[in-house]
Amino acid sequence: MTADSLRSVTVERTGPGRFTATNARGGTVDFETGDGTGFTPVELFLAAIGGCSAADVDVATTRHAEPGTFSVTVTGHKVADESGNRMTDLAVTFDVTFPEGESADRARAILPRAVKTSHDRLCTVSRTVEAGTPVEVSVAGS
C-alpha cells in the first residue's frame, strides 16, 4: 500500500450520543445515536453505499445529458442475532430520468450499464462490503 492510497477520518465525541467525523481535507459530518433527527452511523453507511454508486453513475450519464431527476434509495434490515448486529438484504435502487432528445436517449441507454459497472467494479464502498474486508480495532490510550 502507498501513502497516497490511505484514506482516513477522525471521529470526535461532541456530546451525549453526538459525534463529528472530520476528513483529512477538513470536511465534517455530524451524526448521532438516533435520538434526534441527525443521521445514525447505519444511515451514514447506507448513504455511503448510495453516494458512491450515485457518483459513478452521475459521471457516466451526465457526459451525455443532465438528468431531470436523480435519486438513489438504499435499504437494508438491521438485525441482531447470534452473529451480532449487522445489516442484511442491502438494496440500491436508482430512479433517474432524462429529458427528451438524442443526447438524453444516449444517457438513458447507458444508465443500466453504468449502474452495473458501479456495482461490479467501481464503487469502493459496496465492493468493500461485498468482499467482506476485516476491520482491525485497537485502543491507543486511556
Side-chain angles (χ1 to χ4, degrees), residues 45-46 49 72-78 87-93:
F45 169 73
L46 296 174
I49 292 171
V72 181
T73 302
V74 184
T75 60
H77 293 278
K78 184 176 177 186
M87 294 296 293
T88 64
D89 305 317
L90 296 171
V92 180
T93 304

Side-chain angles (χ1 to χ4, degrees), residues 47-67:
I49 292 171
C52 185
S53 287
D56 293 339
V57 171
D58 186 58
V59 166
T61 58
T62 58
R63 289 179 183 145
H64 302 285
E66 280 295 311

Side-chain angles (χ1 to χ4, degrees), residues 5 7 48-49 52-53 56 117-119 121-131 133:
S5 70
R7 304 294 188 267
I49 292 171
C52 185
S53 287
D56 293 339
T117 301
S118 176
H119 174 265
R121 293 187 36 245
L122 299 177
C123 177
T124 304
V125 179
S126 62
R127 298 298 313 139
T128 301
V129 171
E130 289 193 337
T133 303

Side-chain angles (χ1 to χ4, degrees), residues 22-130:
T22 304
N23 66 23
R25 298 173 311 283
T28 61
V29 175
D30 295 327
F31 61 98
E32 59 188 48
T33 57
D35 294 336
T37 60
F39 278 78
T40 67
V42 169
E43 292 163 339
L44 289 175
F45 169 73
L46 296 174
I49 292 171
C52 185
S53 287
D56 293 339
V57 171
D58 186 58
V59 166
T61 58
T62 58
R63 289 179 183 145
H64 302 285
E66 280 295 311
T69 60
F70 192 113
S71 176
V72 181
T73 302
V74 184
T75 60
H77 293 278
K78 184 176 177 186
V79 298
D81 59 18
E82 64 280 350
S83 296
N85 296 347
R86 66 189 192 292
M87 294 296 293
T88 64
D89 305 317
L90 296 171
V92 180
T93 304
F94 280 80
D95 184 7
V96 182
T97 62
F98 295 97
E100 294 301 315
E102 190 175 310
S103 59
D105 290 343
R106 283 193 300 274
R108 244 185 312 282
I110 68 163
L111 177 62
R113 184 179 62 209
V115 169
K116 182 172 177 21
T117 301
S118 176
H119 174 265
D120 293 349
R121 293 187 36 245
L122 299 177
C123 177
T124 304
V125 179
S126 62
R127 298 298 313 139
T128 301
V129 171
E130 289 193 337

